[in-house]
Amino acid sequence: SPIFVNSKIKNMKQTLLSLCLLACFSYGCQKKDITVPDSSLNGLFGSWDLVMKSGGFSGGVQTPLTMGYQQSLKFTKEGRCYTYKDGSRTGQDNFEFEYQAQGTNAPYEMHYIIKYKEQSFSQWVHIQNDTLFLDDAFCNDCYSYLYVKQPD
């Protein structure tokens, strides 16, 4: 009967429309990896434990032992950085890489920085094997940080 055929076609159209909407929604919600401008920066992704930090007004050196807690970072390929204190997450931020001139006297050296979006804060980044060096950028009384990579 024509009514049954029309009803069946209508149900098929609704099902097809629902599937198309679901596919579009799923594709739009997929996490996208950030652009990594240099292959040496791929080593950043993963978790890192603070070994020491130095600088600030006093220029002193601090370690987990002198601070009384363990500080860690986790960088993801989706461009998120998570901060941890004694294993508990204390913060998060989106980040991206930029290529910037470093130094106060010409000729300037070009280096990569991690630019944190919500905090409007940047750090010079250098990775050597399982060691991460971060230096606060564009500030007075800046800190330098040394991290070691956690095993996967």
Side-chain angles (χ1 to χ4, degrees):
S1 92
I3 294 175
F4 178 73
V5 171
N6 287 341
S7 175
K8 194 170 185 176
I9 290 173
K10 183 178 179 182
N11 286 340
M12 288 175 60
K13 285 181 180 180
Q14 288 176 338
T15 301
L16 185 59
L17 178 62
S18 296
L19 288 174
C20 287
L21 289 173
L22 180 63
C24 290
F25 180 74
S26 296
Y27 179 76
C29 290
Q30 288 179 346
K31 294 180 179 177
K32 308 230 183 336
D33 291 353
I34 63 168
T35 301
V36 180
D38 188 277
S39 63
S40 67
L41 297 171
N42 282 319
L44 178 70
F45 304 120
S47 297
W48 301 87
D49 290 326
L50 181 71
V51 174
M52 64 167 273
K53 67 179 182 177
S54 64
F57 182 73
S58 68
V61 174
Q62 297 177 339
T63 67
L65 184 62
T66 61
M67 294 185 306
Y69 60 89
Q70 179 62 50
Q71 184 176 326
S72 303
L73 298 174
K74 179 180 180 182
F75 292 93
T76 70
K77 291 182 178 183
E78 293 82 26
R80 299 286 295 165
C81 176
Y82 299 95
T83 56
Y84 298 87
K85 180 179 178 181
D86 287 333
S88 296
R89 191 164 79 186
T90 57
Q92 63 185 19
D93 204 342
N94 292 315
F95 73 92
E96 62 188 7
F97 297 108
E98 284 190 5
Y99 201 50
Q100 295 272 339
Q102 184 178 19
T104 55
N105 299 320
Y108 301 107
E109 290 187 36
M110 297 298 290
H111 294 280
Y112 286 101
I113 62 170
I114 298 171
K115 185 176 180 181
Y116 302 97
K117 295 180 180 180
E118 279 81 25
Q119 297 181 27
S120 299
F121 178 69
S122 299
Q123 291 181 307
W124 302 106
V125 59
H126 178 71
I127 303 160
Q128 187 175 346
N129 300 319
D130 65 346
T131 306
L132 172 64
F133 302 92
L134 295 175
D135 294 297
D136 295 344
F138 317 116
C139 60
N140 295 320
D141 299 324
C142 300
Y143 276 87
S144 295
Y145 304 83
L146 175 85
Y147 289 87
V148 65
K149 195 160 199 177
Q150 295 176 2
D152 292 332

